Amino acid sequence: MTHARHLPDGFLWGASTAAHQIEGGNTNSDWWEFEHSSIPLIKEPSGDACDSYHRWREDMDLLAGLGFTDYRFSIEWARIEPAPGEFSHAAIAHYRRMVEGARERGLRPMVTLHHFTNPRWFTERGGWAAAGSDELFARFLTAAAPVYATDVAHACTINEPNIVAVMATAQAEILSGKAVSFAENPPAPDGATTEALIRAHARAVETVKSLAPHVSTGWSLANMVCQPLPGAEDVAAAYRHPRLDVFLEAARGDDWLGVQAYTRTLIGPEGRLPVPEDAERTLMGWEYYPQALGHALRHSASVAPGTPLIVTENGIATADDTRRVHYTAGALESLAEAMDDGIDVRGYFHWSALDNYEWGRYAPTFGLIAVDRETFVRTPKPSAAWLGAAGRSRVLPTHA
Ligand code: IFM
C-alpha cells in the first residue's frame, strides 16, 4: 500500500479481551473446574489472571491514553448467575460500571455476552446441547440487560461458537480418555452443539433487541482461512462447512458479523495439512501468515453478503514485539485491500489488549500491554503506541 489510508467515519478502533482470560478468580465457571482437573491441555490454572476484575479502570485508562476509541470486553455469566435463576446484583452493577467507565474515558464499549465460559451448573446440566439451553441464555441476557441497555452500541452474542462446538467434542473425547491435539488435528465440531448455538444466537438477538432495540448485534467467528492445494477445492469446502460456513450462514441478515483471523489452514486431497516445515511459527505453533485477515474478510463477505463486517480479533502470540508490529501491519494491509475491493468493514479490534490466560497457559503472549504475573503492573509495549496512535490520527498504520 503506498498511500495513507484514512479510517472511514465511525470506524471502530480498539482492542479486545475476555473476562475469564483477564479477570482472575472466576471460580464459579466450568473452566475453573476444568483447570483443576488433570488433563494435559492445561499447563497451569488461570488463578488471578490479570486481576482485571479489580484493575479494569487501569486497563481502560491505558487503552484510551494510547489512542484507542473502542474496547471489546465480555461479561461473565458465572458471576452474574452463580446458581440457576439466582442473579448477582453486585456482578451486574460491576459490569454496568465498566460500561460507564469506558464511556467516561471516551471508549465505546463492545460487550461480548458469552466468551467460552459457562456457569458450572450450566455445564453440569449438559451444556449447550441440553434441551432449553437457549432459554437459559435468554434468561441470563434478560437479567443482564442493565449492563447493555444504554451506552452500548454493539453486543456480540457468542464468541467463536464454532470453537465452542469443537470444544464440546474435545470434552467428550477427553472424558473418554482420548488424547486431543488442537494444534495438529482439532476434533470436528459437535453437531448438536452447533445447532443449539445457532438457536441460542437467534434467541439472544431477539432478547437483546426486545430490551435494547438500539444495540447492534452480531456474533464473532473463528475464521480458519482454509486454503486448498490445487485439486483439493472440494475437500476444503467439505472441511470448512461444518467448522465455519454453517455459522457464517446463520449470520446472514445480522446487523454485523465478527471476523477473527490469525493464520491459515492448508488443505490437501486427504484433508488438513500440517504447517509447512520452513514456515515461521508463532508461540501458538500457528503459521505466521498476516494475510489471513484479508482472506477471512473476503470469505465472510462471500457467505454472508450484505452483512457489515467488524474485525473483532486479530493478533499474534509472540515474545518479539517487533514481529507483532510487522504481523499487524501486514494484516491491516490485507484489510485495506479488501476494503478497496468493496468489502464493507466497519472496525478493527486487536487481540489482545493485555498478555492474558490463553486457555490453559500464560506462555503465548498476545498482548499489546505486558502484565507482571505477580504485581500485575501493566507495561505497554511499543506495538501498543504504534497501533493506538491510529485512533487519533485516523490513518491506518502500515509497515514502518
Ligand atoms: O485467546 C483466544 C480468544 O479467547 C478467542 N480467539 C482466539 C484467541 C487466541 O487463541
Side-chain angles (χ1 to χ4, degrees):
M1 202 170 51
T2 48
H3 60 285
R5 190 191 174 96
H6 288 268
L7 302 177
D9 284 347
F11 197 85
L12 312 174
W13 193 252
S16 289
T17 59
H20 186 75
Q21 293 176 269
I22 62 164
E23 284 183 346
N26 189 20
T27 56
N28 198 40
S29 74
D30 56 353
W31 257 85
W32 185 272
E33 198 168 354
F34 202 40
E35 289 163 20
H36 294 86
S37 62
S38 53
I39 57 162
L41 189 68
I42 306 294
K43 305 292 175 225
E44 56 193 320
S46 55
D48 289 324
C50 304
D51 193 26
S52 288
Y53 197 77
H54 304 109
R55 295 170 197 255
W56 60 267
R57 293 175 184 82
E58 211 179 319
D59 298 341
M60 291 187 191
D61 284 344
L62 282 170
L63 291 173
L66 287 161
F68 290 103
T69 51
D70 297 82
Y71 180 36
R72 172 180 179 236
F73 59 88
S74 74
I75 60 174
E76 186 57 55
W77 188 358
R79 292 190 195 269
I80 292 180
E81 192 177 0
E86 198 177 307
F87 295 96
S88 163
H89 298 296
I92 294 168
H94 167 86
Y95 291 114
R96 179 64 209 164
R97 279 194 298 276
M98 284 185 70
V99 165
E100 288 172 1
R103 284 284 176 189
E104 282 158 18
R105 289 163 177 81
L107 292 169
R108 293 173 292 202
M110 172 186 276
V111 178
T112 305
L113 304 171
H114 185 277
H115 192 121
F116 288 170
T117 43
N118 300 312
R120 287 182 189 213
W121 59 263
F122 180 82
T123 299
E124 280 158 15
R125 74 181 287 286
W128 289 105
S133 62
D134 56 334
E135 285 293 325
L136 293 171
F137 189 47
R139 183 176 72 178
F140 152 62
L141 296 180
T142 303
V147 175
Y148 58 79
T150 52
D151 302 315
V152 171
H154 296 89
C156 169
T157 59
I158 303 174
N159 179 75
E160 294 184 350
N162 50 334
I163 301 297
V164 176
V166 166
M167 285 300 296
T169 310
Q171 209 169 1
E173 292 187 354
I174 289 165
L175 287 176
S176 69
K178 246 174 112 176
V180 174
S181 159
F182 277 96
E184 304 309 327
N185 192 19
D190 176 64
T193 303
T194 298
E195 284 171 23
L197 286 163
I198 290 172
R199 273 197 308 275
H201 170 61
R203 278 302 302 276
V205 169
E206 189 186 295
T207 305
V208 170
K209 296 256 179 231
S210 70
L211 299 164
H214 65 281
V215 174
S216 175
T217 49
W219 66 354
S220 292
L221 306 180
N223 196 308
M224 68 280 300
V225 183
C226 290
Q227 290 188 353
L229 298 189
E233 288 77 9
D234 290 351
V235 180
Y239 181 87
R240 195 177 51 220
H241 191 265
R243 290 171 175 81
L244 176 63
D245 289 357
V246 69
F247 296 91
L248 284 171
E249 287 160 10
R252 288 177 183 155
D254 278 355
D255 295 331
W256 56 273
L257 164 62
V259 177
Q260 314 205 145
Y262 293 88
T263 188
R264 66 175 166 183
T265 307
L266 294 172
I267 308 282
E270 307 304 324
R272 186 189 167 104
L273 296 170
V275 172
E277 290 274 309
D278 55 348
E280 176 180 345
R281 284 170 182 254
T282 72
L283 291 176
M284 292 297 280
W286 298 343
E287 180 183 355
Y288 177 96
Y289 188 70
Q291 311 89 297
L293 184 58
H295 290 290
L297 289 165
R298 290 171 198 272
H299 179 70
S300 302
S302 74
V303 182
T307 307
L309 307 178
I310 301 177
V311 178
T312 43
E313 286 185 24
N314 168 250
I316 175 173
T318 178
D320 177 353
D321 198 50
T322 61
R323 293 311 282 157
R324 188 178 336 278
V325 171
H326 193 264
Y327 173 93
T328 308
L332 292 172
E333 204 165 294
S334 74
L335 172 146
E337 283 163 7
M339 289 175 74
D340 285 343
D341 289 344
I343 309 278
D344 182 6
V345 187
R346 306 280 176 95
Y348 175 88
F349 288 82
H350 191 80
W351 183 270
S352 178
L354 305 171
D355 284 343
N356 61 47
Y357 186 64
E358 179 54 30
W359 309 108
R361 57 210 169 116
Y362 280 100
T365 41
F366 278 96
L368 296 167
I369 300 171
V371 180
D372 185 287
R373 299 243 37 77
E374 281 177 20
T375 62
F376 307 107
V377 166
R378 275 96 163 115
T379 310
K381 304 175 190 178
S383 56
W386 170 80
L387 194 63
R392 287 203 191 91
S393 68
R394 308 306 289 170
V395 173
L396 202 68
T398 53
H399 283 293

